[in-house]
Amino acid sequence: MSGLLVSLQGAVAQGVLWGIMVLGVYITFRLMDIADMTVDGSFALGACVCAVLVVNKGVNPVLALLVAAAAGVVAGAVTGILHTVFEIPAILAGILTQISLWSINLRIMGGKSNLPLLKVKTLISGLAASFGMTQAQASMIVGIVLAVAAILFLYWFFGTELGCSLRATGCNPNMSRAQGINTDFCKVLGLMISNGLVALSSALLAQYQGFADVNMGRGAIVIG
């Protein structure tokens, strides 16, 4: 019975961290009506950036999470610019960014496909050591806190004028333009927020699992 509980804790811990990524996919897929294939690349990007900063640069794990999320925001912006400025279909723009990120992630990792974090202190391992918890329990606490914070932020944001503009753009872009909404800007912003959450999720997952891999994002959009 104890073995089952331990397994359930690990499954829930990973599920909560993946849930943050799902929030990002929800923004593009449901609210913006864009099948964003960037997710597979930006998911690995967040983990790679976080791992390199923590292992090679000695950066604080919390700061590494923020930088990883910022890297995801940049990836979303690239897809948005390809789609709005160069008028490439959204799904193709996402695929282009996704494929490009595979090489970029390898470059970030210094040519390595895998980077372990087992010998460095992370946010989750530090919390577990400080309060005598397991990695899974610490991961659940961190994941739940960040997921709730993300949900509250998104609930507030999509109630603002700018958030309503994003929702209107996804619902009916032609009518949105007729109402004076800059739909191109809204699409880019939505992709940036989405991929920022995706990268944050993968950075947390890397700290929980103890490694980052360039193939981590494979199938992430399907899971989301």
Side-chain angles (χ1 to χ4, degrees):
M1 186 65 180
S2 60
L4 176 61
L5 292 177
V6 171
S7 299
L8 285 174
Q9 285 183 1
V12 172
Q14 288 197 47
V16 171
L17 298 182
W18 279 93
I20 298 175
M21 183 271 291
V22 174
L23 291 173
V25 175
Y26 177 82
I27 293 173
T28 51
F29 190 71
R30 297 294 296 175
L31 295 183
M32 304 298 298
D33 195 27
I34 295 175
D36 182 25
M37 301 301 294
T38 314
V39 170
D40 285 16
S42 61
F43 191 83
L45 174 66
C48 292
V49 169
C50 180
V52 168
L53 289 177
V54 173
V55 175
N56 296 340
K57 306 298 182 181
V59 176
N60 183 283
V62 177
L63 179 59
L65 291 176
L66 297 177
V67 177
V73 168
V74 173
V78 171
T79 300
I81 291 171
L82 289 175
H83 174 50
T84 58
V85 177
F86 296 97
E87 299 183 353
I88 298 174
I91 190 167
L92 180 57
I95 292 173
L96 289 172
T97 308
Q98 172 199 340
I99 294 173
S100 301
L101 282 173
W102 196 85
S103 299
I104 293 171
N105 291 337
L106 271 179
R107 177 66 177 174
I108 291 172
M109 299 267 279
K112 300 177 182 178
S113 62
N114 188 287
L115 184 63
L117 289 83
L118 298 176
K119 296 183 179 180
V120 297
K121 182 180 179 181
T122 64
L123 174 62
I124 293 173
S125 64
L127 183 65
S130 300
F131 294 94
M133 298 182 293
T134 64
Q135 286 275 102
Q137 291 170 340
S139 177
M140 280 191 288
I141 292 174
V142 172
I144 290 172
V145 169
L146 290 178
V148 170
I151 291 170
L152 291 176
F153 168 76
L154 292 176
Y155 181 82
W156 166 81
F157 174 74
F158 284 112
T160 63
E161 183 177 350
L162 180 57
C164 289
S165 298
L166 262 73
R167 290 159 55 196
T169 298
C171 183
N172 193 327
N174 293 328
M175 182 58 72
S176 299
R177 280 190 292 269
Q179 297 297 321
I181 296 175
N182 188 337
T183 55
D184 287 346
F185 172 77
C186 289
K187 289 178 181 179
V188 174
L189 181 60
L191 288 164
M192 291 170 65
I193 296 173
S194 170
N195 285 281
L197 289 172
V198 170
L200 175 62
S201 170
S202 66
L204 286 167
L205 192 64
Q207 293 194 21
Y208 167 64
Q209 293 181 337
F211 70 91
D213 194 284
V214 293
N215 294 313
M216 282 181 65
R218 185 169 294 175
I221 185 67
V222 177
I223 296 173

